[in-house]
């Protein structure tokens, strides 16, 4: 079922028009991602840098990178054409908070020109404590943190390195810094009353059995939705950075872990692992109707 009894009315109202946060909403409301954030500050072993960030997006897809001005132009064009468009997310193709100027400029422009659109951000969490004040100022409604483990030893198998404040940390040391910042970020979101969803990439043999513990921790720390996503590992996507030959979970394995977690927390089961430039309802990707070449031509009056 899609709502837990304890999910209060107010929360329901807050997510009613968010296609990812509310399963009912995803049939009626649309979201878009704009790809304005190319850089990343960590190296996940399952990432292939040629493609979109695998933490929120569909691996094996190359999104069209835009400037903040182009992104705002695109949002205005699409909001005019797709009336169900309620949410704008920045989710890549790298980590949005590793590109703070581009990401926040995009949000500022959209808040200014299309104030009805809700803003959404996803991040690996490393820079979340640093930018929590700007996130609050901009009224960003929803934040997704990708949190794959709460154990730095496991983290060392998932992350090759973490680049924090001009220094690169490897192995357990890097994984510890990332985890510390993710926990601080989670806490800060809770204090700011910003809705937080957690994504976890399920990697068989590495964090699969551990995800129940991750689920418990995030539940206790205020996240309201957990999205366990399968590692997508297909030869045509090229090799992962450090997990060569790693398989993804079967549908059955994924469901089992989701079932084991769902105690009293809502699990997201309708995630489509969208592209960093996705447009439309969750099941219908219309990104190719709104390529840069096309949207620039459609409504030149929105040129910023
Ligand atoms: Fe790749 Fe990980 Fe960075 Fe996403 S957060 S772009 S998956 S290295
Ligand atoms: Fe929603 Fe999942 Fe797509 Fe993100 S990747 S927009 S959470 S369906």
């Amino acid at each position: 079922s899609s709502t837990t009894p304890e999910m209060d009315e107010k929360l329901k109202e807050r997510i009613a028009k968010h296609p990812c946060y509310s399963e009912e909403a995803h049939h009626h409301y649309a979201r878009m991602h704009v790809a304005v954030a190319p850089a990343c500050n960590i190296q996940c072993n399952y990432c292939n840098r040629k493609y979109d960030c695998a933490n929120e997006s569909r691996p094996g897809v190359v999104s069209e990178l835009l400037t903040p001005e182009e992104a705002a132009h695109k949002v205005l064009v699409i909001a005019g054409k797709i009336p169900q468009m309620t949410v704008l997310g920045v989710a890549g193709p790298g980590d949005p908070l590793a590109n703070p100027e581009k990401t926040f400029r995009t949000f500022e422009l959209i808040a200014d020109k299309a104030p009805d659109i809700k803003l959404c951000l996803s991040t690996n969490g490393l820079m979340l404590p640093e930018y929590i004040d700007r996130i609050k100022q901009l009224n960003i409604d929803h934040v997704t943190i990708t949190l794959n483990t709460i154990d730095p030893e496991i983290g060392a198998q998932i992350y090759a390195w973490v680049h924090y404040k001009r220094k690169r940390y490897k192995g357990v040391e890097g994984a510890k810094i990332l985890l510390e910042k993710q926990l601080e970020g989670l806490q800060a979101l809770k204090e700011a009353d910003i809705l937080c969803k957690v994504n976890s990439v399920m990697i068989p043999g590495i964090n699969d059995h551990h995800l129940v513990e991750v689920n418990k921790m995030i539940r206790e720390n205020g996240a309201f939705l957990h999205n366990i996503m399968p590692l997508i590992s297909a030869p045509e996507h090229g090799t992962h950075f450090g997990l060569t030959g790693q398989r993804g979970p079967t549908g059955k394995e994924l469901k089992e872990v989701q079932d084991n977690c769902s105690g009293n927390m809502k699990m997201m089961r309708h995630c489509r692992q969208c592209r960093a430039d996705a447009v439309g309802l969750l099941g219908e990707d219309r990104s190719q109707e709104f390529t840069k070449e096309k949207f620039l031509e459609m409504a030149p009056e929105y040129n910023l």
Side-chain angles (χ1 to χ4, degrees):
S1 75
S2 56
T3 45
T4 52
E6 59 270 38
M7 190 190 272
D8 62 21
E9 288 303 313
K10 212 167 140 233
L11 178 59
K12 264 198 208 163
E13 216 180 282
R14 283 176 77 184
I15 63 170
K17 292 189 179 177
H18 196 303
C20 308
Y21 282 15
S22 155
E23 201 174 334
E24 289 101 276
H26 97 271
H27 300 292
H28 309 289
Y29 295 99
R31 58 74 188 94
M32 61 180 292
H33 285 161
V34 283
V36 295
C40 192
N41 45 18
I42 67 174
Q43 178 63 64
C44 302
N45 280 330
Y46 51 72
C47 183
N48 179 330
R49 289 298 180 91
K50 279 191 296 194
Y51 303 119
D52 287 357
C53 171
N55 285 343
E56 173 70 21
S57 318
R58 175 150 291 275
V61 163
V62 183
S63 288
E64 190 175 44
L65 201 62
L66 302 177
T67 65
E69 286 72 20
E70 288 166 346
H73 185 158
K74 181 176 177 178
V75 172
L76 294 174
V77 170
I78 291 174
K81 299 220 180 258
I82 307 179
Q84 312 99 303
M85 185 63 61
T86 50
V87 178
L88 180 274
V90 177
D95 187 75
L97 296 182
N99 306 259
E101 293 320 318
K102 291 180 175 127
T103 295
F104 290 121
R105 175 84 185 129
T106 303
F107 285 138
E108 271 163 20
L109 287 169
I110 291 162
D112 182 45
K113 312 267 178 215
D116 291 342
I117 292 192
K118 286 190 182 296
L119 305 177
C120 192
L121 165 77
S122 36
T123 176
N124 58 42
L126 183 64
M127 297 311 283
L128 191 49
E130 195 85 5
Y131 293 112
I132 188 74
D133 289 336
R134 281 189 88 178
I135 291 171
K136 283 196 259 182
Q137 272 164 18
L138 279 162
N139 269 327
I140 292 173
D141 288 276
H142 312 285
V143 172
T144 296
I145 306 177
T146 296
L147 201 158
N148 297 322
T149 173
I150 53 170
D151 177 349
E153 299 284 337
I154 297 176
Q157 297 174 61
I158 301 178
Y159 307 106
W161 49 257
V162 167
H163 193 266
Y164 185 67
K165 305 223 162 158
R166 292 162 197 262
K167 224 185 135 196
R168 186 176 286 204
Y169 301 88
K170 289 185 176 168
V172 176
E173 203 189 357
K176 262 190 191 155
I177 294 171
L178 179 62
L179 178 60
E180 189 187 301
K181 298 297 153 195
Q182 289 171 327
L183 297 180
E184 271 175 45
L186 202 54
Q187 201 56 42
L189 291 174
K190 187 179 171 186
E191 276 158 26
D193 195 28
I194 295 170
L195 289 178
C196 176
K197 156 171 146 274
V198 169
N199 282 354
S200 301
V201 178
M202 177 176 170
I203 314 166
I206 299 203
N207 70 347
D208 43 356
H209 299 298
H210 171 67
L211 287 174
V212 176
E213 276 171 68
V214 173
N215 178 264
K216 183 162 176 281
M217 188 285 287
I218 64 160
R219 224 189 298 150
E220 287 164 2
N221 285 281
F224 91 103
L225 185 61
H226 194 187
N227 178 20
I228 298 181
M229 311 156 81
L231 174 77
I232 297 182
S233 171
E236 64 269 28
H237 300 161
T239 12
H240 296 109
F241 183 80
L243 285 174
T244 312
Q246 172 71 47
R247 71 173 182 92
T250 63
K252 190 167 163 269
E253 287 168 333
L254 177 68
K255 187 177 177 300
E256 230 168 72
V257 170
Q258 287 173 333
D259 289 345
N260 288 342
C261 288
S262 56
N264 57 3
M265 187 193 202
K266 195 165 145 45
M267 301 297 292
M268 179 171 187
R269 296 179 193 248
H270 66 289
C271 179
R272 301 298 171 93
Q273 296 177 275
C274 309
R275 346 171 12 122
D277 61 0
V279 176
L281 297 172
L282 292 195
E284 110 197 309
D285 180 23
R286 298 175 62 178
S287 57
Q288 297 315 303
E289 288 172 47
F290 300 99
T291 58
K292 185 161 144 187
E293 200 192 345
K294 291 178 186 162
F295 77 74
L296 288 179
E297 232 168 57
M298 274 180 213
E301 67 273 21
Y302 293 135
N303 207 345
L304 297 170

